[in-house]
Amino acid sequence: MPAARPASPWPPSPAASPPENAADDTGAHPRRWWALTALGVCMLVLGFDLTILNIALPGMAAELRADTGQMQWIVDAYVVVFAATMLPAGLLGDRFGRRRLLIAGLAVFLLCSLLGTLAGSPAQVIAARAGMGLGGALVTPLALSVVPSLFSSAAERTRAIGLISAAMAAGMPLGPILGGWLLDHFWWGSVFLVNVPLAALGIAACLLFLPETRDPSAPRVDPLGTLLTVTGLGTLVLAVIEGPERGWRDPLVLAAFAAGGLLLAGLVARETVRARRAPGARPMLDLALLRHRAFLWPTVAASFVTLVMAGLLFVLPQYLQTVLGYDALGTGLRLLPMTAGLLTAARTAGPLAALAGPRTVVAGGLALLACAAFLGAGTDVHDGYAPTAAWLTVTGFGVGFAMLPAMDGALAALPPERSGSGSGLLMTVRQTGAAVGVALVGSLHSGRYAARLDTGTLPDGAAEAARDSVVGAHLVAGRTGSPRLAAAADAAFVDGMTLVLTLCGGTALAAALACALLLPGREKRGPSPGTAPSGSSRSGSGHGP
């Protein structure tokens, strides 16, 4: 006789109904592992694209004459749109069919990748990246929300969530390696073109193996709420990017901060009012999820890991290529220690979390990430690659130990009828962290670099180009035959890297302490994704299987 399940911490949802075509409680879907493979391909593609462009930024900046702010937007256009549109994307999938929206997202991703290969200016690249972010937003929350409907066994669900998370996490450090090989053999647009066959493979896998699932009780997408989300995040990141360039007291920067805060506050207020007027309705921004520790703190932990890793992967390839002088492929290969640490940690994080509890493993992973950042902050301009390899390895271990148990804990806390909105909220918060991480790191680094670079007696135009980025400084040094300028640019770049890695280390350490104190222990974790909330069940009986 099965043991009684703990009472659900979630409030009952009268409007909820069982997802259509879901695997029932008496047996799992017969093609579930093939379907999981399809989802893994989708997530691997997105993992590649989160980082593959970083390796191309120096060459792209030189060819397209992009300054540091434009380089930040080339990276951030993807993650801002990604984060801002994931909530409505998750609800659309719940309402109209998750497989249908997954395929639509991959098709948008494929088309915009083709447009990226044809781009001839930074603005065109930014536009293509924004479109790819929209495609990615349709894919990510739906890939996660499909899992509870495929796997009826709690053990299999945990394994499936881990494999999907590992696919995306593995794609992130492998992206620069693939990008480096492509850039050594082809032009910079090849980092976009490679997405085309991968996205096509994902579409074919979804068509062949993934069953259609939907939740007819999902609420309609709120156009005004979606507009508030997109504009609020966009203006907030704009302020962070433009702050060092224009000055933090510049009217545009202050206005962007104020507008972003007001727009996001308006979103929260709107969702709060709608929840009071219709208590049984499910909102687009499900603020009730954030009131439960079992979901909130794993989400916060995963977001801080993403913030630190996104910032690190923005600055590190430029250091390896420009300061240490490696080519694109050499740079990608020298990121392998992080990949090795991540994959090793991914294999052991689950058993360790089962043994010691997720709180210990997640907090320990964040502490390792902090140690890695502090080690990297000690880098000297004359250091070789060996110290970088050491702290990159520690970084991989920290990300693997912190990210996977945190993701598993947040998703396992969701009842089935909230899987779409909950996974969408989780990924929205994570990708907002990535956008803010790149914006903060890029802005702080740019400000410190420009302040510390001595351009000597260079003409105004050449001095401005040198201060824009270390890539620009090396181009100016090559044209003017000034090795002193190149050396000064390298020293200023490393000084900026020291600042941002110290900040990343402090952020990770603060997150580790917060998780050690606030993350629920094993005995307080919410129900697994298959646990029906109070007053609702997938079988309709009001009890678990």
Side-chain angles (χ1 to χ4, degrees):
M1 184 174 181
R5 285 180 173 169
S8 169
W10 307 104
S13 184
S17 65
E20 290 184 5
N21 303 326
D24 61 28
D25 289 327
T26 60
H29 195 282
R31 293 183 298 171
R32 62 193 183 281
W33 293 111
W34 285 107
L36 184 69
T37 301
L39 298 176
V41 170
C42 297
M43 300 302 282
L44 188 65
V45 172
L46 297 183
F48 277 139
D49 207 69
L50 284 171
T51 57
I52 194 172
L53 195 65
N54 289 338
I55 206 77
L57 281 176
M60 187 183 297
E63 187 166 335
L64 299 179
R65 301 185 181 278
D67 59 27
T68 300
Q70 290 171 322
M71 289 167 66
Q72 288 169 235
W73 272 110
I74 287 172
V75 176
D76 263 339
Y78 180 89
V79 290
V80 169
V81 176
F82 197 15
T85 54
M86 247 189 293
L87 284 175
L91 293 178
L92 282 172
D94 286 350
R95 189 174 183 84
F96 298 110
R98 292 165 184 145
R99 185 181 74 161
R100 183 179 301 167
L101 267 293
L102 273 171
I103 293 171
L106 287 168
V108 171
F109 191 83
L110 187 156
L111 177 62
C112 292
S113 295
L114 281 175
L115 294 177
T117 66
L118 305 174
S121 70
Q124 292 173 357
V125 176
I126 291 169
R129 290 279 292 170
M132 292 164 67
L134 176 60
L138 290 169
V139 172
T140 303
L142 299 176
L144 291 169
S145 65
V146 163
V147 171
S149 66
L150 290 174
F151 295 89
S152 59
S153 160
E156 285 192 348
R157 272 195 304 272
T158 298
R159 184 182 176 194
I161 290 169
L163 289 173
I164 287 181
S165 301
M168 190 168 189
M172 292 174 69
L174 290 175
I177 299 171
L178 177 61
W181 183 85
L182 289 170
L183 291 171
D184 272 4
H185 293 83
F186 308 102
W187 87 116
W188 62 262
S190 61
V191 300
F192 292 105
L193 192 60
V194 72
N195 292 329
V196 173
L198 292 174
L201 179 61
I203 291 172
C206 287
L207 288 170
L208 289 172
F209 304 121
L210 195 63
E212 183 63 278
T213 60
R214 59 172 57 85
D215 182 358
S217 69
R220 294 183 178 182
V221 173
D222 174 24
L224 179 56
T226 301
L227 181 65
L228 289 171
T229 303
V230 174
T231 54
L233 286 172
T235 52
L236 194 62
V237 174
L238 171 67
V240 175
I241 289 178
E242 294 295 331
E245 181 76 18
R246 295 173 175 267
W248 295 106
R249 297 182 180 179
D250 182 83
L252 175 64
V253 174
L254 294 175
F257 270 123
L262 288 173
L263 288 165
L264 293 176
L267 173 66
V268 173
R270 178 174 175 78
E271 294 297 334
T272 302
V273 170
R274 293 178 72 203
R276 287 175 181 171
R277 288 179 178 175
R282 289 165 54 193
M284 183 181 75
L285 178 62
D286 198 345
L287 297 175
L289 295 173
L290 299 179
R291 290 198 289 267
H292 296 277
R293 293 175 60 208
F295 178 82
L296 171 63
W297 289 107
T299 299
V300 170
S303 301
F304 274 112
V305 175
T306 304
L307 185 152
V308 172
M309 189 174 181
L312 185 151
L313 287 175
F314 178 79
V315 72
L316 187 59
Q318 297 179 66
Y319 167 72
L320 292 173
Q321 282 186 264
T322 308
V323 178
L324 295 188
Y326 296 113
D327 61 15
L329 178 59
T331 297
L333 291 173
R334 282 167 178 81
L335 294 174
L336 274 175
M338 181 168 61
T339 307
L342 192 154
L343 294 178
T344 302
R347 291 178 62 89
T348 56
L352 275 178
L355 181 66
R359 176 195 297 167
T360 302
V361 178
V362 172
L366 282 163
L368 282 176
L369 195 55
C371 289
F374 288 138
L375 286 172
T379 301
D380 185 82
V381 70
H382 300 296
D383 287 345
Y385 170 69
T388 301
W391 66 264
L392 273 178
T393 305
V394 180
T395 298
F397 276 105
V399 171
F401 283 130
M403 179 70 78
L404 297 185
M407 290 284 289
D408 182 31
L411 292 171
L414 294 171
E417 84 280 359
R418 278 181 165 89
S419 62
S421 59
S423 58
L425 180 59
L426 167 63
M427 296 307 297
T428 296
V429 176
R430 272 193 59 195
Q431 295 310 317
T432 300
V436 171
V438 171
L440 280 175
V441 165
S443 299
L444 290 171
H445 186 276
S446 175
R448 175 62 68 92
Y449 167 80
R452 294 300 175 94
L453 179 62
D454 179 10
T455 55
T457 58
L458 286 174
D460 289 344
E464 183 179 355
R467 284 192 294 268
D468 275 343
S469 69
V470 67
V471 175
H474 276 261
L475 290 174
V476 172
R479 289 199 302 266
T480 60
S482 174
R484 187 195 65 79
L485 175 62
D490 290 346
F493 185 91
V494 171
D495 190 65
M497 191 170 77
T498 297
L499 171 66
V500 298
L501 288 179
T502 301
L503 175 65
C504 287
T507 301
L509 184 59
L513 293 173
C515 287
L517 293 173
L518 300 171
L519 200 68
R522 281 174 297 180
E523 74 284 359
K524 294 183 181 180
R525 289 183 66 184
S528 70
T531 304
S534 175
S536 173
S537 94
R538 281 158 57 181
S539 64
S541 64
H543 302 281

